[in-house]
Amino acid sequence: AVPGSTVELGCSARGDPAPQVQWHKEHGDLPWARHEVDREHTLRLYAVTSADAGAYVCTAQSQLGTAAATTFLHV
């Protein structure tokens, strides 16, 4: 990603019952006041900086179990 740009990280999770979906950053916090997660579970990071680089994990959890996927952001 280019510094200062907006990045979208998608996470597709379906099930019955619908899973709870959460995003977190490995080894750090999501950028305070510069992120949001929409209804489709897409994580948006605004005005990214080199400090935002790293691994981001999407976790889906329901009564039936838990699944996680990791993506890496390079700034």
Side-chain angles (χ1 to χ4, degrees), residues 13-20 61-65:
R14 294 172 183 44
D16 189 13
Q20 295 273 80
Q61 184 172 16
S62 76
Q63 301 165 359
L64 303 176

Side-chain angles (χ1 to χ4, degrees), residues 1-7 9 25 31 34 45-56 72-75:
V2 176
S5 66
T6 297
V7 174
L9 304 176
K25 183 180 180 189
R34 292 189 299 110
L45 304 172
Y46 298 102
V48 295
T49 69
S50 58
D52 298 324
Y56 289 81
F72 295 90
L73 176 63
H74 302 277
V75 181

Side-chain angles (χ1 to χ4, degrees), residues 33-74:
R34 292 189 299 110
H35 79 276
E36 70 177 1
V37 178
D38 68 17
R39 297 179 81 184
E40 286 78 38
H41 314 300
T42 299
L43 172 64
R44 280 188 193 81
L45 304 172
Y46 298 102
V48 295
T49 69
S50 58
D52 298 324
Y56 289 81
V57 182
C58 172
T59 304
Q61 184 172 16
S62 76
Q63 301 165 359
L64 303 176
T66 301
T70 303
T71 190
F72 295 90
L73 176 63
H74 302 277

